[in-house]
Amino acid sequence: MGVEVWLLLVVGVLMALAYSRWRHSYWSSRGVPTPPIIPFLGHIHALFLKGLKPLLYENEVYSKYGGSTFCGKYEMFRPILVVGDLELMKHITVKDFDYFTDRRNFTLTNEGDDVMNDMITNKTGNEWKTLRSIMTPTFTSGKMRGMYPLVCDKADDLVSFSLKEAANNPHIDMKHNFGRFTMDTIASCAFGIECNSFENENSEFPKAAASFFQLTWKRKLSIIFLITLPKVFKFFKLRFNPPSLDFFAEVVKETIAAREKGAKRGDFLDLLMEAGKDNPEKKQVLNYKSILAQSILFLIAGYDTTASTLAFASFFLAKNSTHQQHLRKELQGIVKEHGDLTYQGIMEAKFLDACLLETLRLYPPAPMLERQCTKDYQLPGTELKLHKGDIVQFPVWSIHHDPKYWPEPNEFRPHRFMPENRDNITTFTHMPFGLGPRNCIAMRFALMEAKVALGKMILAADLQLAPGYEEMEVEFGVGILRPKNGVNLILKPLSEE
Ligand code: HEM
């Protein structure tokens, strides 16, 4: 190569670096600190890290680079504001919610992903508000009570299947079994569909659900493309969802068709279909596509989050036999008092509640939350003005593990959440279900479901860690934290008293 070519190359590289530096000056020009920036990548490299490492990196951003108050990051050139200050979080998610009604929304152009554009998680502004008000009545306490017997049936299936499996194997993967349970439960409660994942080993449901959350390299790359180069993603019509989405779409389509002909069940699907009918009082109507989208979302959102929570909780209890025995005693007392594990009894089980809340603190399935600024906003008590479109992230994982709020943060200590200790918990430091009006719509359902399954398992068997599986390995993909290689436990059946 001649000198001119080298010179051109060097000038080209220098110009590219100058461009990257200029794009990465968004925060510094506003006086906002940032962790060390990698040219072009910004801070996106963390997404390539394995296991817990992306979250440990976020922890550094939080504790070393200002994230516990606020600091800036870049996903390639896209600026993100990390806000860990509790007062500011309260402003953004609750007090000034009108400025932050949305999450980051993606327009997916591949035909196979189309249904995702209509999901409530991806909706903005008034469209979100209307959808949310239509969907909210599905999760009132009256509805929960009505669904309780269905959830109990599925939990009984879980227990008998797990015990049978344990009788023939030295240890069993409870993450797998909890996944079957949550899939059967949500399908039954929301749609009246019987998946029978326990009876039918080859049931399509758990297979499709599992593949939805599998983080292949192709999937990881597609997520990175979607986040960093949405225009390229859109142009090439890349597909975000695995083909298992099509399976869920088919199931829901068939169920809607059957409902149109048949009797009502008063469940989630009925509510959506009623809202879709031409109703002069409700100006906004839900069309078929929207009903389909919300239904699929429920199957997806209701499966892995709750199954992972149950898997993590059973791991912690197997590891801490004192807590496990304490929980069993509480549950036995409830059965004695109420004759069974009734809805009321389960709601009164304080230690069961505490075990799940502590599990969700240690391993929140959604370890980061996001909001998008919808109109220019002056961050209270600061000089910083956020612009429409800016993304704000809340470091859930780091706050949940901050020793300032949680002494010995890595220890599983359910007693933190017992009523007598609740006053020691700082508001806004425990947010596994998100914050404010855009929090998890199904929190009540998820907790009820998890309590029934965990309660019944603990009453039926002693849980012990299997040799060689004493440490929890996690993966953080598709935005969700989950056990990487399942949760392998030995189940010792307990005789009924
Ligand atoms: C342990 C189980 C679960 C956890 C930890 C969890 C957590 C979350 C979190 C963190 C969010 C975002 C909240 C925010 O941005 O502030 C969310 C949203 C949502 N969740 Fe859950 N979730 C769980 C179970 C469920 C279940 C069982 C369903 C459905 C049956 C569900 C449906 C949804 C929906 C529809 C949204 C979007 C709400 C909106 O955008 O208005 N989740 N969930």
Side-chain angles (χ1 to χ4, degrees), residues 20 63 137 174 212 243 253 268 283 383 397 429 435 439 473:
S20 168
S63 52
M174 282 306 290
F212 195 88
K253 271 183 199 163
F268 168 63
K283 287 208 179 87
E383 303 277 296
W397 170 273
T429 57
L435 295 170
N439 70 351
E473 270 194 70

Side-chain angles (χ1 to χ4, degrees), residues 147-148 150-151 184-193 265 267-269 445 448:
M147 287 176 190
Y148 189 74
L150 287 177
V151 180
D184 277 12
T185 305
I186 189 76
S188 164
C189 291
F191 308 102
I193 299 173
R265 292 178 80 243
D267 61 9
F268 168 63
L269 188 55
F445 176 78
M448 184 261 276

Side-chain angles (χ1 to χ4, degrees), residues 139-175:
F139 296 103
T140 57
S141 50
K143 287 268 170 4
M144 293 304 101
R145 204 180 270 271
M147 287 176 190
Y148 189 74
L150 287 177
V151 180
C152 282
D153 278 355
K154 301 300 165 201
D156 289 335
D157 291 347
L158 163 77
V159 171
S160 54
F161 179 84
S162 302
L163 289 181
K164 220 185 287 167
E165 210 188 3
N168 302 315
N169 297 282
H171 52 80
I172 60 173
D173 178 6
M174 282 306 290
K175 168 66 177 49

Side-chain angles (χ1 to χ4, degrees), residues 269-414:
L269 188 55
D270 279 352
L271 279 168
L272 289 186
M273 288 175 74
E274 274 309 307
K277 295 263 158 63
D278 233 347
N279 174 355
E281 279 156 35
K282 280 196 187 103
K283 287 208 179 87
Q284 175 100 18
V285 291
L286 285 189
N287 58 28
Y288 177 79
K289 252 179 89 199
S290 177
I291 298 173
L292 185 68
Q294 311 326 318
S295 308
I296 297 171
L297 171 63
F298 266 49
L299 285 175
I300 299 166
Y303 162 71
D304 207 54
T305 45
T306 319
S308 292
T309 303
L310 278 164
F312 286 135
S314 61
F315 172 82
F316 284 128
L317 290 168
K319 202 168 180 174
N320 295 273
S321 64
T322 319
H323 292 323
Q324 189 182 155
Q325 280 164 27
H326 188 90
L327 176 58
R328 189 167 297 116
K329 247 197 185 123
E330 175 181 71
L331 294 164
Q332 284 165 342
I334 282 167
V335 172
K336 213 170 191 176
E337 189 188 335
H338 295 266
D340 202 351
L341 216 51
T342 58
Y343 180 77
Q344 200 193 330
I346 255 274
M347 291 301 136
E348 283 169 12
K350 300 283 179 268
F351 196 65
L352 177 60
D353 189 49
C355 286
L356 283 167
L357 295 181
E358 175 69 341
T359 301
L360 285 162
R361 179 188 71 79
L362 279 160
Y363 287 124
M368 313 249 253
L369 293 174
E370 267 190 12
R371 291 292 180 267
Q372 176 150 213
C373 183
T374 50
K375 40 191 176 180
D376 290 1
Y377 178 74
Q378 184 72 44
L379 206 61
T382 75
E383 303 277 296
L384 184 64
K385 190 165 190 167
L386 291 178
H387 299 297
K388 185 175 174 198
D390 280 351
I391 302 289
V392 180
Q393 247 176 31
F394 307 114
V396 177
W397 170 273
S398 304
I399 293 175
H400 280 196
H401 291 81
D402 187 338
K404 191 163 62 180
Y405 306 124
W406 307 99
E408 295 189 70
N410 297 323
E411 295 294 311
F412 177 72
R413 285 208 201 146

